[in-house]
Every structure is written in structure tokens, then in C-alpha cells.
Amino acid sequence: MAAKIDDTYAEAFKSLYTEFLITARDRKWLDHAVNAATGNASSSILCDCEAGMDRYVGPGGDESFETPDGRPGAIVQLHIPRFRKDRVKALEKSALVRISQNVMTCPTASCFNLVDSEEYYHMGRKVAYFGNGYQKRIERFGRKMWWIPTLGGEFILDRRLGYADGLMGGNLWFFGDSVDSALLAAEKGVEAILPMPGVISTFPGGIASSGSKAGSNYDFTIASTYEKFCPMLQDDPTVEAGLPEGVNCVMEIIMNGQGMQPIIDATQAAIKASVDTPGLIMISAGNYNGKLGKSFIYLDPSKQPAE
């Protein structure tokens, strides 16, 4: 029996994002670079940014997307909430640290800009200072790049890294009768999202088991556990219990992307892939009545306004 689809929406909010392509000799070293570059970036609650892999491209991936050097590649996105006053500098620092310390250091990796915008960082030049005067500007694959000599040979990256407006906070909640059913449904959702262009899911394995709400009883943090939906707090007299009967676990997928449409498409793909999971009781989403963001992604596609 298919799970109930809640008549609700996910509340997304604006971000500033950058997107770049990592290539490497093979999938093994590509994965090492991607995992390092997107590490410790699940949530903007405490991480410097939110980061994740969009999809594999080139040989062994989406081959409709040709990588400049013809090698296996992966597209990575980094997001910073747009409400941050320091968003432009914060995104630059996150990208600089992650490219210089996690991509350049990875054997055989190269890095290419994917955001062609009027606004950009001189990322290549800043990373190239590692060359200590031996770095140089080059043109390769029809692109303007920086070349840095390394003990492993060379590291090349585009001179510019563009940035643009994106979207954060698309989400789906999977209400299961057990940990196994909720997790399996969420896993199916993530598998459906992975090959889709323009969207990332940032948490470990793409899934969050500690979904949060905005605000806290403590003034040093901006978010806290969503006690209303914690299975083990449903009998607590101080909690307004909110779980449907029979639900013993809630898993969440959070999606960031280039804009509304990629997240809408990913949401529907995840629902379709997971709705028939045994033991899944309901698929829902988190929102805050417009207090966090003004971009609503409806679970019922017929209710989605045209952009």
C-alpha cells in the first residue's frame, strides 16, 4: 500500500552558490576529491557552507556533459544563505579553502568553473599563490587557466569562479513505522535525486536523522531538535505531539539547487521512488509558514504555481 502524501509544502530560502567541476584520472580519485571538498558541510547551522555533489559527468557518468579534459568528472555546489550580510566573502572563503586544501591536494585532480556570470572570484590566482612564483597563466582546453607545479606533477584550475543566486532548504520527511522503513524510503529518494541536474543533498548519505526547527531555548544557536516530531518525546507532557499514529522514525532529505525547478523535479522524483516502500506511513515536508523563506515546493505538483 502506498504511503500517504501530505498536503503540504517545503519552505526553501534564497542562497548564494557557486558550482565547479572536478575531474580526475578515474572514479576512485574523483570520489576522494569530491568527498574531501564537500566534507563537513551538511548544514549552515554550524558549517561554513552547505556542499554536495550534483552528479557524475563525462565518462562513467552523464555523458551528455563532456568534461574539458575528457576524464571522469563530478559537479559540486557550495551554498551560503543569502540572508548573511557577509555572504559574498563567506562563499569565497569556503570555495578557496575547499579547492586549495581538498581538490588541489588530491592526486590527478583538476578544477573547472561552471557558473558563467558577471560576478566572480579570482579563485585561480588565489589558489595559484601556492606555486610560490613558479605558477603561470596558461590556456588549455580553450580555457584561461592557472598552472601550479606540484610534487605530483601539476594542478590546473580556471582563473575565474562565478557565483549566482540559488536556493536552499527544499526537503522531504519520511515517516516510517521503524528506523528501517523510514531509512529505506529516504535512501530510495536520494538514489532518485543523485542523477538529476542542478540539485544537491548535503547530509551524510544525503539523509538527515536530526531534522531541526528554526530557533532554540539557548541563545547561542539558531536551530534545535524538532521535538514535536521526535518519536521518543510523543509521551512527554511538555511536548505538543505531532506524529501520526504508528510512526516510530522520521528521516529527512534536504535539497539545495540552482533554483526552483531543479528542486521541484528532484522532489517529485524522490516521492515517486519512495512512496511504495513497505512500512512507510507518510511523506511530508517541513515549513515555517513563510518565516524562513518565500519559495514553496508543493508535494502535490498540481498545486505548484507556475514560475
Side-chain angles (χ1 to χ4, degrees):
M1 182 177 177
K4 175 185 176 182
I5 308 299
D6 198 6
D7 184 15
T8 190
Y9 59 87
E11 183 174 326
F13 54 97
K14 292 182 179 180
S15 72
L16 198 69
Y17 87 100
T18 189
E19 186 176 69
F20 51 88
L21 169 70
I22 302 172
T23 65
R25 183 185 68 180
D26 51 39
R27 177 64 70 85
K28 172 184 175 180
W29 287 106
L30 178 61
D31 282 345
H32 282 311
V34 169
N35 291 339
T38 60
N40 190 29
S42 294
S43 169
S44 56
I45 294 173
L46 278 179
C47 300
D48 63 282
C49 70
E50 294 188 8
M53 185 183 76
D54 176 342
R55 68 193 190 281
Y56 291 111
V57 295
D62 177 0
E63 296 192 0
S64 67
F65 188 109
E66 296 182 2
T67 60
D69 55 11
R71 302 191 301 169
I75 297 172
V76 167
Q77 290 182 13
L78 311 182
H79 288 256
I80 294 283
R82 190 164 179 79
F83 57 70
R84 285 184 56 169
K85 293 181 179 179
D86 66 341
R87 57 188 176 272
V88 175
K89 289 185 177 180
L91 182 60
E92 180 182 29
K93 183 177 180 180
S94 292
L96 176 61
V97 169
R98 291 170 184 276
I99 292 172
S100 66
Q101 302 304 298
N102 298 295
V103 183
M104 182 174 68
T105 60
C106 183
T108 77
S110 298
C111 187
F112 304 90
N113 172 49
L114 291 181
V115 180
D116 184 13
S117 62
E118 293 183 1
E119 297 178 306
Y120 58 86
Y121 304 118
H122 294 282
M123 188 59 58
R125 183 182 67 193
K126 292 188 175 183
V127 175
Y129 284 131
F130 179 76
N132 200 33
Y134 296 98
Q135 71 272 22
K136 60 184 178 181
R137 295 180 180 88
I138 63 169
E139 290 195 17
R140 193 180 293 183
F141 313 120
R143 308 171 75 98
K144 294 181 178 180
M145 309 188 76
W146 276 96
W147 176 89
I148 306 165
T150 67
L151 272 65
E154 65 176 10
F155 178 67
I156 59 170
L157 76 164
D158 283 340
R159 296 182 194 176
R160 296 179 177 181
L161 181 66
Y163 59 91
D165 290 336
L167 208 60
M168 303 174 72
N171 66 84
L172 286 171
W173 292 4
F174 299 88
F175 292 67
D177 62 5
S178 66
V179 172
D180 289 342
S181 61
L183 184 55
L184 179 59
E187 287 175 334
K188 290 181 177 180
V190 170
E191 288 174 4
I193 292 169
L194 275 176
M196 303 195 71
V199 65
I200 63 172
S201 50
T202 64
F203 283 80
I207 301 167
S209 66
S210 58
S212 61
K213 69 177 188 302
S216 169
N217 292 331
Y218 304 102
D219 59 10
F220 52 81
T221 185
I222 62 173
S224 58
T225 192
Y226 214 151
E227 67 278 1
K228 181 178 179 179
F229 298 105
C230 290
M232 293 187 180
L233 292 179
Q234 296 302 289
D235 295 329
D236 189 318
T238 67
V239 172
E240 180 188 351
L243 287 181
E245 184 177 354
V247 173
N248 292 300
C249 182
V250 182
M251 294 290 176
E252 183 179 15
I253 297 174
I254 293 92
M255 293 164 276
N256 300 344
Q258 296 170 344
M260 278 284 282
Q261 198 58 52
I263 298 179
I264 290 171
D265 293 343
T267 296
Q268 293 305 316
I271 291 173
K272 182 178 180 180
S274 61
V275 68
D276 292 321
T277 304
L280 183 65
I281 294 173
M282 184 170 73
I283 300 175
S284 188
N287 62 69
Y288 308 95
N289 299 315
K291 295 179 181 178
L292 182 62
K294 304 301 181 184
S295 299
F296 301 160
I297 296 98
Y298 289 84
L299 274 58
D300 180 351
S302 68
K303 294 188 175 182
Q304 190 70 50
E307 285 194 279

